[in-house]
Amino acid sequence: MNYYSLNNQSPKVTFGEAALRGQAPDKGLYFPEKVPTLPDGFIKNIKNLSKEEIGFTVMKPYVGDSLPTDVLQQIINETINFDFPLIPITDNISSLELFHGPTLAFKDVGARFMSRCLGYFNRNAYHHTTVLVATSGDTGGAVANGFLGVDGIDVVILYPSGKVSKIQELQLTTLGKNIKAIEVNGTFDDCQALVKQVFADKDLNNKLSLTSANSINVARWLPQQLYYFLAYQQWKHDEPPVICVPSGNFGNICAGVIANISGLPVKHFLAACNANDVVPTYMQTAKYEPKQAVATVSNAMDVGNPSNFIRIIELFHQQFDSLKSMFSSVSISDEITVDTIKRVYKEHNYTLDPHGAVAYYALEQYLKEEGKSLEKGIILETAHPVKFPDTVEEAIGTEVAIPEEVKYLLDQQKQSILMEPSFEALKEWLMNR
Ligand SMILES: *Cc1c(COP(=O)(O)O)cnc(C)c1O
């Protein structure tokens, strides 16, 4: 399988090259030349397959010859070695819990798959590769955890001081080894701007072999398809599900769409957004107008120009009507989000995180529309509520218990490098490390 750039100015590359580069030289996103078709009988038989078998069958055509069979299987096994339970909340809404991985957010799957791929592709490299990433919270933890101990790779994470939750900060700053956390005295936008400057700087590129762990990387984007297959494996109804995905950069839902095109049954996709409503507006007006991101309680979705949406448009061959028949998008306010956490806890004894709550309300409204009374759906619960304790505890009026998997973090010592949001300071540190 080869990948082309959506800007059409760069040569086609293999999966391995696309994963190492991240973005094409013409700044376009890489896209598979052809969406593979699932093998005959795969969906019919899915309930009898292990999640490792599902993972291998789905990913094999995308990876092509870039990884030997046994290496791909090993990477899959390590990527999904935790649970993905589908939990019914009401008669017609179930929650696919994607927060049982090591950092309690769905980004673990993409980060684990990508880190292991890069580790393999770099196995004979003479120089270390530096992975640079800016985070507003979840990405950094997942990337750090995924790359921890991977030979030949150093990870540098930039995060905004005081703007990530306590657990998130500990996940970024306590790993040691090949992971360094830079605590920027500024905002997430400052962190992102610094990362962009680093990638554009000649001296740094000459000295370091730099790569990004951004969500546009095909090795992060494509394995997210597995959630949708694992959800379908647990689906007990005859009609396919409506799937509602809390969306920010639109990588996760775009993986669902590609899974559907390759043969996974899905009734409809609903992208649930917070106040950052570029895509909901596009679906109304057919005009795409990026905006400045605004801060919300579901902060992992505070994105004003969702990078992966262009891939969804490509998957529908730029046909707005065919996109519209399969995909819709709505914007949900913070007030409704908090109220939904409160209400679902009270009525169904289920604790949603703010991102899951955005999806829950969106799906609930969708299923109330005329003619949809028999449809049933799934929300993707993308993070554990304990990662957003301020919002969730205020809504439900009680503490969220810290899961066993992360309790150990509370005794760890934070180690970060405090820095002003200055490119000169960062450059100096990177050059002299
Ligand atoms: C990153 C993230 C999202 C948004 O996912 P995209 O693929 O960027 O649309 C939603 N919820 C949580 C908890 C996240 O960390």
Side-chain angles (χ1 to χ4, degrees):
M1 167 86 74
N2 281 325
Y3 291 77
Y4 62 93
S5 163
L6 289 181
N7 284 354
N8 288 314
Q9 303 296 316
S10 298
K12 289 179 186 168
V13 295
T14 62
F15 174 81
E17 288 166 285
L20 280 171
R21 284 179 189 272
Q23 207 169 27
D26 63 9
K27 310 267 182 247
L29 272 64
Y30 281 118
F31 198 84
E33 226 170 5
K34 177 170 170 288
V35 178
T37 307
L38 293 167
D40 281 347
F42 176 75
I43 290 297
K44 229 177 167 168
N45 191 34
I46 198 165
K47 295 203 163 50
N48 303 319
L49 300 176
S50 68
K51 57 184 200 285
E52 291 79 9
E53 286 168 324
I54 294 173
F56 183 84
T57 306
V58 171
M59 290 307 293
K60 178 69 192 159
Y62 291 98
V63 167
D65 298 328
S66 290
L67 295 171
T69 299
D70 58 327
V71 173
L72 174 61
Q73 187 68 67
Q74 175 75 22
I75 291 178
I76 296 275
N77 297 355
E78 291 175 12
T79 297
I80 53 174
N81 64 353
F82 44 87
D83 294 333
F84 301 83
L86 184 66
I87 310 288
I89 303 181
T90 67
D91 286 344
N92 59 5
I93 299 182
S94 300
S95 166
L96 182 71
E97 294 185 348
L98 300 179
F99 54 71
H100 296 278
T103 73
L104 310 182
F106 85 98
K107 290 193 171 68
D108 278 326
V109 163
R112 288 163 80 76
F113 189 83
M114 177 184 170
S115 59
R116 284 160 178 78
C117 287
L118 291 195
Y120 180 81
F121 298 140
N122 264 312
R123 68 197 180 287
N124 297 322
Y126 189 64
H127 293 292
H128 272 217
T129 293
T130 300
V131 171
L132 192 66
V133 62
T135 187
S136 58
D138 285 338
T139 300
V143 167
N145 202 285
F147 280 100
L148 181 66
V150 174
D151 274 345
I153 298 196
D154 298 321
V155 177
V156 178
I157 301 166
L158 278 69
Y159 74 97
S161 182
K163 297 192 176 63
V164 303
S165 73
K166 180 169 177 199
I167 298 245
Q168 285 177 327
E169 182 167 47
L170 289 169
Q171 285 174 335
L172 297 173
T173 56
T174 59
L175 292 165
K177 292 196 191 163
N178 56 333
I179 314 293
K180 293 275 183 296
I182 298 192
E183 181 176 357
V184 176
N185 190 12
T187 62
F188 171 58
D189 285 340
D190 292 328
C191 297
Q192 236 173 351
L194 287 169
V195 167
K196 280 202 181 129
Q197 281 177 287
V198 170
F199 281 109
D201 186 86
K202 269 214 177 81
D203 300 334
L204 285 166
N205 279 285
N206 286 340
K207 165 135 185 180
L208 303 169
S209 160
L210 284 168
T211 190
S212 137
N214 195 288
S215 74
I216 59 165
N217 193 301
V218 292
R220 254 188 79 181
W221 168 45
L222 292 167
Q224 302 181 83
Q225 290 180 81
L226 301 182
Y227 311 139
Y228 300 83
F229 288 94
L230 297 174
Y232 191 72
Q233 191 187 31
Q234 300 172 71
W235 186 243
K236 297 208 168 67
H237 309 283
D238 296 332
E239 287 297 311
V242 175
I243 300 189
C244 182
V245 186
S247 296
N249 230 344
F250 282 71
N252 191 359
I253 195 165
C254 182
V257 171
I258 203 170
N260 172 236
I261 292 173
S262 73
L264 179 76
V266 176
K267 179 92 183 165
H268 192 77
F269 285 100
L270 181 55
C273 300
N274 56 30
N276 294 284
D277 62 353
V278 170
V279 173
T281 304
Y282 171 81
M283 294 309 294
Q284 303 262 322
T285 62
K287 284 200 191 73
Y288 185 84
E289 288 173 13
K291 292 184 191 167
Q292 196 72 14
V294 298
T296 72
V297 294
S298 48
N299 61 17
M301 312 198 297
D302 294 349
V303 181
N305 186 10
S307 336
N308 284 291
F309 189 61
I310 188 171
R311 283 181 165 143
I312 297 187
I313 296 190
E314 184 79 0
L315 284 167
F316 287 96
H317 308 289
Q318 280 87 23
Q319 301 294 312
F320 188 70
D321 289 338
S322 89
L323 170 68
K324 214 165 173 169
S325 68
M326 201 50 209
F327 177 95
S328 30
S329 187
V330 291
S331 161
I332 307 295
S333 71
D334 273 1
E335 198 184 342
I336 291 179
T337 304
V338 172
D339 181 66
T340 302
I341 298 174
K342 192 188 269 178
R343 183 165 55 85
V344 171
Y345 180 73
K346 216 157 107 196
E347 290 174 5
H348 307 291
N349 195 25
Y350 189 86
T351 310
L352 292 162
D353 97 292
H355 306 78
V358 168
Y360 187 94
Y361 186 81
L363 181 58
E364 196 178 39
Q365 294 306 109
Y366 181 86
L367 295 176
K368 277 186 196 156
E369 287 174 14
E370 215 178 300
K372 304 216 168 82
S373 63
L374 296 176
E375 295 186 11
K376 296 181 193 301
I378 295 172
I379 60 158
L380 268 50
E381 184 33 302
T382 45
H384 194 290
V386 82
K387 294 192 91 170
F388 306 94
D390 297 349
T391 305
V392 174
E393 290 176 359
E394 191 178 320
I396 67 174
T398 172
E399 257 181 48
V400 185
I402 297 186
E404 284 305 323
E405 300 98 289
V406 293
K407 274 199 180 141
Y408 76 96
L409 279 172
L410 301 174
D411 316 319
Q412 309 275 310
Q413 201 58 38
K414 161 180 159 183
Q415 283 185 318
S416 68
I417 298 142
L418 201 58
M419 212 176 267
E420 290 305 310
S422 135
F423 174 63
E424 281 65 41
L426 179 60
K427 179 169 176 175
E428 162 134 6
W429 183 82
L430 284 166
M431 292 297 280
N432 298 314
R433 202 152 49 97

